[in-house]
Amino acid sequence: MAEAAANVSEGLDRLELPVAVRKPRLNSIATLVLPKVAALAVLIGVWQLVFVLRIKPDYAIPSPGTVWASFVDQWQHGFILPAVWSSVHRAAFGYGLCLLIGTPFGLLVARVRLLRLAVGSTISALQSLPSVAWVPLGLIVFGPNETTIFFVIVMGAFPSIVNGMVHAVDQIPPILLRAGRSMGARGVRLWWYVVLPAAMPGYVSGLRQAWSFSWRSLMAAELITTSADLGSGLGQLLSIGGTNVDMAQVVTAILLILAVGLAVDTLVFNPLDRAVRQRRGLLADA
Amino acid sequence: MVWDGWNVEGPVVAPGLMSALTVVDAVAAVDGAAVRLVDSVAIRLDEVTKVFGSGDSRLLAVDRLSMEVNRGELVCLLGASGCGKSTVLNLVAGLETPTRGTVSVPAGNTTLMFQEAALFPWLTVEQNVGMPMRLRGRRRSERSGEVRELLELVRLDRFAKHRPHELSGGMRQRVALARALAQHSEVLLMDEPFGAVDAITRDLLHEDLVRVRHETDVTILFVTHSVREATRLGDRIVVLSSRPGRVLEEFTIPGDGSPAGHELAAAPLVPRITEVLRHEIGRHGRG
C-alpha cells in the first residue's frame, strides 16, 4: 500500500518534470553566428557601394580597403595595442571604483528610506546626464590627467549601479522576504541570505549597463582630455584622426571602440547575466 | 481435561503478569496524566479579538475566538473568505498581536507554511531545506545528514541537486514542507498550502502530510476552505464564521488512527459540515 503510494508519487513527479529536448549543437551555433556574419557582409557591401558611387570625396568616405590598410599600418607601427590596452586599463580601474562606491551606496539607498527620499530621484536624474558634461568640471578641478578620466567614468556609471541595486531590491517578491523572516532571518542575516541573492539578477543588469556607461564616459573623457604625459587611448586615437582629417584612422578608432565594448559585454557580462538567470530559471529558452 | 489444564495453567501464570502490568500501566497513566496536565495543549486562544485599522475603516477580523489545539493533533480551521483564518495563523505565529484576549503556544516554536512554496530560486532543493539550519549557524557537515533524511521523508532525495524551477508545483510544496520541518518547530501552521496545485497532486500531498505527521508527531493547525480537505486531514475541524471570525461549530473525527478508518469516520460528517459552511456563506447573501 505504502509502496504503491510511493510509486504513484514518483510516477507523477516524473510525468510533471519537463522533458529536455536538446537541439543539435552545430545547428544552434550556425543560427547564432550566421545572421551576424551576413549582417556584417551586407554592411561592408553597402559601404563599398557608397564608395564606388563617389557620393562624397575619398577623404570623407574612404573604402573598406583603405580603412583596413590604415589599420594594418597603425598595427605595424605599434599604435593600436597600446591604445587598446591603455583604454581597457583605465576603463577597468574606473569601473572598479564605480563598483566599490556604487554597490554599498546602492544598498544604503535601497535600505534607508530617508536616504532614498533624499537622493533617489537625483540619482535617476544623474543617469540621464550625458557624462561628457562632467569633463570640463573634472578638467578644472583635477587638470588634464587620469584623475579627470576616472572622475568622469565614476560619475557616468555609478548611477547605473545604484539604480540597478535599488530597483533589484524593490522587485524582490515579498513572499521570499516573508519566508526568510519566518525562518528567523533578521537584519544582516536577512540581507545576506535573502535580499542580496534575490536582488542579484537586477544588480547584474545594473552592472552590465554601468559597463557600457563606463566605456562611453571613458571615450568622452579621452576625446577631450589630451596632454603629453597622459599617453594615448582609443579616444585620443580618434581625436588625432579627426585633427589630421584622416578618415581611415577615425573609422579604425570607432570600429576598435565598438569592438572592445562589445567584446567585454559578450565575454564578461553576457555569461555572468546568463549564469545568474539560468540558476533562477529566468531564461526564456532554459 | 486438556482444556482444563490450559484453563488452570492460564490464570496461574497470568495473575502475576497481570498485576505487574497493572502497576506499570497505572504509573504510566499517572505519568501521562501529569504530563497532559502540564502541557497537553499546544496552542491556546482565549477570547481573542483582532481589530485592524481604526475609526470608519475599522475591521473586526476575529471576534472572541477561543480554541485549543492539543499536542500532536491536526486541527483544520475551515471557513469561507473573510473568516480571519490567516489572521488566526498570524496571531499564533506571533506576526500579529491580538487586540484583546490571549494567544499562547505552550508547545514552543511555530513555523508558517504558505500557499506558495516560497523557495529561494537561487538555491538547490537541499540548500533550501538546509536554510533554516544555516540561519541557526549550523555547519554544512552538521546539516547534510538531516537534510537527506528530510528529503527522504518527502520522497525528494533524488532531486537534492535540482533547483526549484526544475520541479513541479507539488514537488515544490514538498520541499517547502521539508524546509518547514527543518525548523524543528513543535507547531506547524499551514495556510492553505495545497490551494494552488491540481487535484491529483493535492491527493498525494494529503497522503504525504498524513504520513509525515505520523512520523514526526508535529502539531498542525491547517487552514482551508475545502470541506473535503478538512475532513480528509483533520482530527478535529473548527468551522469559523465570516466577518468577523468566530467559532461556529466544532467537529471531532473519531478515527482509529488508520487513513481508511479516518475516511470512514469522516464521511458521515461531510453533509453536516457543508451545511454549516453554506448556511454561514448564505447569511452574508441575505444582507
Side-chain angles (χ1 to χ4, degrees):
Chain A
M1 180 67 187
E3 201 164 314
N7 274 340
V8 175
S9 176
E10 198 174 320
L12 194 68
D13 287 352
R14 278 176 195 271
L15 288 174
E16 288 203 337
L17 285 183
V19 180
V21 182
R22 189 170 288 191
K23 280 183 252 170
R25 203 168 167 73
L26 195 70
N27 189 13
S28 64
I29 288 174
T31 49
L32 272 178
V33 175
L34 271 181
K36 291 187 176 69
V37 173
L40 196 64
V42 168
L43 191 72
I44 294 174
V46 170
W47 179 4
Q48 181 67 34
L49 186 72
V50 170
F51 172 74
V52 170
L53 290 175
R54 305 271 164 195
I55 294 169
K56 290 268 181 184
D58 280 8
Y59 72 84
I61 301 182
S63 74
T66 315
V67 171
W68 175 251
S70 162
F71 172 77
V72 172
D73 181 56
Q74 289 179 75
W75 179 276
Q76 282 165 349
H77 282 88
F79 294 149
I80 304 267
L81 269 185
V84 169
W85 172 243
S86 163
S87 285
V88 167
H89 197 250
R90 283 169 187 163
F93 187 80
Y95 186 76
L97 273 180
C98 269
L99 272 183
L100 286 181
I101 299 168
T103 306
F105 192 63
L107 276 174
L108 271 179
V109 176
R111 180 157 165 68
V112 183
R113 216 180 123 70
L114 204 65
L115 190 64
R116 157 112 54 131
L117 285 172
V119 301
S121 48
T122 313
I123 288 167
S124 294
L126 273 182
Q127 207 172 0
S128 59
L129 181 77
S131 46
V132 72
W134 293 108
V135 181
L137 200 148
L139 280 173
I140 294 170
V141 177
F142 304 109
N145 52 41
E146 287 210 313
T147 311
T148 296
I149 291 180
F150 296 139
F151 168 75
V152 174
I153 295 177
V154 168
M155 292 315 287
F158 100 96
S160 297
I161 295 184
V162 174
N163 264 335
M165 181 62 100
V166 171
H167 291 147
V169 170
D170 282 354
Q171 282 166 8
I172 297 174
I175 187 82
L176 294 184
L177 299 175
R178 205 172 158 210
R181 285 200 193 96
S182 80
M183 281 188 272
R186 298 278 190 284
V188 177
R189 277 173 178 263
L190 185 72
W191 275 75
W192 181 251
Y193 287 113
V194 185
V195 176
L196 285 182
M200 203 42 87
Y203 177 62
V204 170
S205 294
L207 291 188
R208 194 173 183 175
Q209 196 189 40
W211 160 253
S212 80
F213 275 63
S214 294
W215 189 238
R216 279 191 234 174
S217 306
L218 171 68
M219 288 310 129
E222 281 189 345
L223 202 57
I224 298 175
T225 316
T226 43
S227 97
D229 46 59
L230 201 53
S232 70
L234 285 173
Q236 277 102 359
L237 205 67
L238 181 59
S239 171
I240 293 165
T243 313
N244 296 343
V245 202
D246 181 351
M247 195 53 156
Q249 185 177 343
V250 167
V251 175
T252 304
I254 290 175
L255 290 178
L256 281 171
I257 292 168
L258 271 176
V260 174
L262 190 68
V264 173
D265 188 67
T266 315
L267 298 177
V268 179
F269 291 99
N270 194 30
L272 182 67
D273 195 49
R274 279 188 73 88
V276 166
R277 283 172 193 281
Q278 191 151 37
R279 228 180 151 189
R280 289 160 173 76
L282 295 172
L283 280 186
D285 56 64
Chain B
M1 286 302 280
V2 173
W3 287 108
D4 277 18
W6 279 105
N7 276 339
V8 170
E9 215 173 73
V12 169
V13 181
L17 261 176
M18 285 289 275
S19 57
L21 278 174
T22 312
V23 171
V24 172
D25 259 8
V27 170
V30 168
D31 263 9
V35 168
R36 225 163 276 146
L37 276 177
V38 176
D39 59 1
S40 71
V41 174
I43 306 169
R44 184 180 287 123
L45 287 94
D46 191 20
E47 293 279 305
V48 169
T49 298
K50 178 68 188 176
V51 180
F52 289 107
S54 58
D56 287 345
S57 62
R58 181 176 172 277
L59 175 76
L60 179 62
V62 177
D63 187 26
R64 284 167 291 152
L65 185 105
S66 294
M67 63 175 285
E68 287 181 349
V69 179
N70 294 319
R71 274 181 183 254
E73 203 178 16
L74 196 164
V75 172
C76 286
L77 280 182
L78 178 68
S81 302
C83 70
K85 296 171 287 193
S86 300
T87 307
V88 172
L89 285 197
N90 284 341
L91 285 165
V92 176
L95 297 176
E96 310 264 10
T97 48
T99 313
R100 278 184 296 280
T102 53
V103 176
S104 59
V105 189
N109 295 326
T110 59
T111 291
L112 255 177
M113 221 183 123
F114 320 104
Q115 183 165 358
E116 293 156 76
L119 301 176
F120 294 152
W122 56 91
L123 299 178
T124 61
V125 164
E126 61 180 359
Q127 287 168 333
N128 264 292
V129 174
M131 197 57 180
M133 305 175 207
R134 200 164 153 194
L135 282 168
R136 264 180 274 121
R138 285 179 60 192
R139 264 172 305 193
R140 187 195 301 261
S141 55
E142 293 170 345
R143 37 179 214 258
S144 65
E146 195 188 334
V147 166
R148 204 174 318 116
E149 276 171 31
L150 285 168
L151 286 177
E152 278 167 18
L153 189 64
V154 295
R155 298 186 182 126
L156 284 173
D157 39 315
R158 289 183 302 119
F159 297 95
K161 305 284 181 205
H162 280 57
R163 288 185 193 278
H165 68 91
E166 298 168 316
L167 305 179
S168 70
M171 292 161 88
R172 272 180 232 157
Q173 275 304 359
R174 274 144 65 201
V175 179
L177 177 60
R179 182 176 70 175
L181 293 171
Q183 294 181 59
H184 296 295
S185 293
E186 288 77 6
V187 175
L188 202 52
L189 305 169
M190 306 179 87
D191 194 354
E192 301 193 28
F194 310 140
V197 294
D198 62 90
I200 298 179
T201 306
R202 193 177 312 132
D203 259 0
L204 289 170
L205 287 169
H206 287 162
E207 281 172 25
D208 280 330
L209 183 63
V210 168
R211 189 172 45 80
V212 164
R213 182 199 158 197
H214 286 300
E215 285 177 35
T216 57
D217 291 330
V218 67
T219 304
I220 301 175
L221 185 56
F222 190 106
V223 159
T224 179
H225 57 251
S226 152
V227 176
R228 161 133 186 75
E229 187 163 53
T231 49
R232 171 104 192 249
L233 296 172
D235 301 323
R236 201 144 55 83
I237 297 163
V238 177
V239 185
L240 294 179
S241 64
S242 295
R243 279 189 210 131
R246 290 193 188 108
V247 176
L248 274 182
E249 202 164 331
E250 265 191 50
F251 299 86
T252 303
I253 297 176
D256 57 0
S258 72
H262 186 92
E263 200 116 340
L264 213 62
L269 294 175
V270 171
R272 172 67 191 143
I273 298 173
T274 310
E275 193 196 317
V276 171
L277 193 62
R278 289 178 68 116
H279 181 264
E280 169 58 21
I281 297 168
R283 199 173 61 81
H284 291 269
R286 286 194 293 271

